Amino acid sequence: MKQTVFRWALILLIAAVFITALAAVLITHPGPKDTEFFTREVQETLWVLPALVIVAILAAYTMAWHVTDPIHRIDPEQPGETAPYEELVPLMARIREQDRLIRQQTETLGRARRGFDAITENMSESFLLVDRRLNVLSRNVSAKYLLPAPEPGKPDNLVGGSCPTEILHAAENALVGRRTELTMSLHDRYYYIIATPVFSEDQITGAVIIALDTTEREEREALRREFSANVSHELKTPLTSIVGFAELLKDGMVPPERAGEFGSDIYREAQRMISLVDDIIELSRLEDESEAPEMEPVDLYGLAEEALEQVRPAAEKLPVTLSLKGESAVIQGVRTALKEMVVNLCDNAVKYNRPGGSVTVTVEKNDAGETRLSVEDTGIGIPYEHQPRVFERFYRVDKSHSRALGGTGLGLSIVKHATRMHKARLELWSEPDTGTRITVRFPGQKA
Ligand code: ADP
């Protein structure tokens, strides 16, 4: 601006100087005939020209400075209410309006951005936004598990980096207008990927990729499938025996003197099925977290007495001596779940014992208010390699031995769930051929 004004002012001044000089010469010497004198006169006035040019330069510069300086001093971010001179009033008004619009739009954009960030950053799902060339435009924190951010200086693009092929494939599909859903596994986790095209005025401008971590659901599904398969298998075994015995009886293949024996076999197998169904019902009741269980004061010592009475017939058969140590200890708990827990522990302590062995149940409270219930036996013990797994559903060290003793493989699983329900801690100590001790530690409860 300054240069333009300066240039034009200079041109005008030079032109004015020439016109003035020429005019002066023509006025003083109107006759073109006296050309020699005309030439001399013109030459005499020529020395004025450089001086005039210098004056013109200075005048032009000063003028340009006066015109442009106030304009330079205008702060476009804070244009103010007044204009430096009248000609600038419309320009200032336009600058102020532009400034207001820009501020408004920046604020709207900022609000939208903050809202978008708040949503995507708090999402446990991974989120990626890519353009038509698969450049990553936006990603949330969770996306780092799927697609780590590129090293500084490297392009953030789905191609050529560490992007899993499934995600690349889904994004490419979305960019040609095909919404894509697929499952994939990465670093021992499962993801459900949804890729959707992003449209702008009927044109695909990019794609949104969302990945849901479905690991827990997949694991639950696998457990459920395994559980169903186990239940079917466990029920089928006694049922097959029952059908076999009944068929022999029906076809008259059993001599009358052995009919009683077959009857007891059928009874035993049916009992086993009932125990299994009872255990499954108990387990699903303990696992059902939809309703908070009703807590009541329960005396663990009294419960242990009842449990020992329940296993006494089996203990007398072996024989195994039963004893109860400690004192009355009342905790807030679910009576049925606690009873199942103690009965299952005592039942195992007798079942996996040896003739002449013993079972000791101890109930005591310590100074910190913690209540401890332990069931110790002098039985066969649990081999070390099996110890970490005995609390799993249907896990048995010796399947046929457990079955022969009427075990379902669910007893310790019920104990584990009941323990968890009471926020208690479970400890297992076992020495093969020496014995086993299982301790449940209930946390101190406020009165
Ligand atoms: P089960 O119905 O087979 O007894 P549990 O879940 O109660 O099922 O126990 C799982 C497995 O742990 C048993 O099959 C058995 O091998 C082992 N076990 C449990 N308690 C004892 C114990 N007190 N002594 C030795 N082994 C035990």
Side-chain angles (χ1 to χ4, degrees), residues 313-349:
E316 280 169 358
K317 245 194 227 168
L318 213 52
V320 165
T321 51
L322 304 175
S323 52
L324 176 60
K325 286 186 184 165
E327 52 187 345
S328 162
V330 179
I331 62 159
Q332 275 293 114
V334 182
R335 173 172 276 280
T336 49
L338 291 169
K339 177 82 183 281
E340 282 292 333
M341 171 199 278
V342 189
V343 168
N344 272 303
L345 289 175
C346 293
D347 186 45
N348 281 352

Side-chain angles (χ1 to χ4, degrees), residues 348 351-352 377 381-382 390 395-397 402 407-409 411-412 436:
N348 281 352
K351 253 185 350 196
Y352 302 106
D377 64 63
I382 304 171
V390 287
Y395 193 85
R396 286 175 278 208
V397 174
S402 156
T408 61
L412 288 186
T436 301

